[in-house]
Amino acid sequence: MLTMIFACDVDGAIGKDGDLPWRQSTDLQHFKQITLGGTIVMGRKTWESLPGKLPNRTHLVMTRSSREDVDTITFQEVLQLSKEQEIFIIGGGEIYQLFLPHTNKIHRTIIHCKVKDADTFAPEIDMEIFAVTNSNVVERSARDEYDMTFELLERI
């Protein structure tokens, strides 16, 4: 099964200048809780934006060049692997767009803000194909910049 996970602002922005455009500790904990023990797939830019390997997860990077610091995988290999286990697609924008037609579930955090000059966006989700099956508004903690809404969308 393919599962996407991302945080976006109210307009769908997910990035600016190669980084997350907010500091949301609660969302990072949510991400950790969902992906812990799983396999995460990302593009090269997302891999390079991480501080290193995230503990207790298998990391696979889609890239056109070979790497020694992380295992790489092709689009077709991800689709094949997703028949055997849940795969978490964690970014970036092009990778989300590529996998959206094959995705079963989406964990979307809506950060209650608007990012000025965002340069990376989540794919547009067709609400005739997906339905919000769970939604939870969370007020910001002392370690968050904004309130947020955690949503689970599932293919109808």
Side-chain angles (χ1 to χ4, degrees):
M1 172 173 26
L2 281 177
T3 300
M4 284 187 186
I5 184 167
F6 60 84
C8 62
D9 76 354
V10 297
D11 293 328
I14 62 172
K16 180 178 176 177
D17 301 328
D19 200 3
L20 295 174
W22 45 69
R23 295 291 167 249
Q24 294 289 120
S25 180
T26 302
D27 182 56
L28 293 177
Q29 290 303 312
H30 178 72
F31 175 89
K32 179 179 178 181
Q33 174 190 354
I34 290 169
T35 62
L36 206 59
T39 298
I40 55 177
V41 171
M42 69 208 83
R44 176 192 55 82
K45 291 177 188 173
T46 298
W47 165 248
E48 291 176 352
S49 75
L50 296 177
K53 286 190 175 179
L54 304 176
N56 301 314
R57 280 157 273 205
T58 300
H59 295 67
L60 299 172
V61 174
M62 292 183 60
T63 180
R64 292 178 186 88
S65 55
S66 63
R67 299 192 65 104
E68 294 184 15
D69 57 343
V70 68
D71 291 328
T72 60
I73 193 166
T74 67
F75 175 73
Q76 288 301 327
E77 290 169 334
V78 173
L79 294 181
Q80 189 61 40
L81 191 58
S82 73
K83 294 176 182 177
E84 303 164 18
Q85 67 183 63
E86 185 172 19
I87 303 295
F88 295 98
I89 306 299
I90 70 163
E94 292 177 24
I95 301 298
Y96 288 130
Q97 196 66 47
L98 183 64
F99 283 105
L100 184 61
H102 308 278
T103 296
N104 307 92
K105 289 192 315 189
I106 302 170
H107 292 275
R108 174 172 67 181
T109 303
I110 299 173
I111 308 297
H112 297 192
C113 70
K114 287 190 177 199
V115 176
K116 186 178 183 204
D117 300 325
D119 54 26
T120 309
F121 292 85
E124 191 166 323
I125 299 167
D126 184 342
M127 297 311 286
E128 292 185 10
I129 296 174
F130 287 91
V132 177
T133 58
N134 194 0
S135 182
N136 182 27
V137 176
V138 178
E139 290 186 14
R140 70 183 190 99
S141 73
R143 297 179 63 197
D144 298 320
E145 289 182 84
Y146 307 101
D147 294 342
M148 65 208 94
T149 302
F150 294 124
E151 292 183 333
L152 175 61
L153 295 91
E154 296 184 81
R155 188 175 287 273
I156 299 172

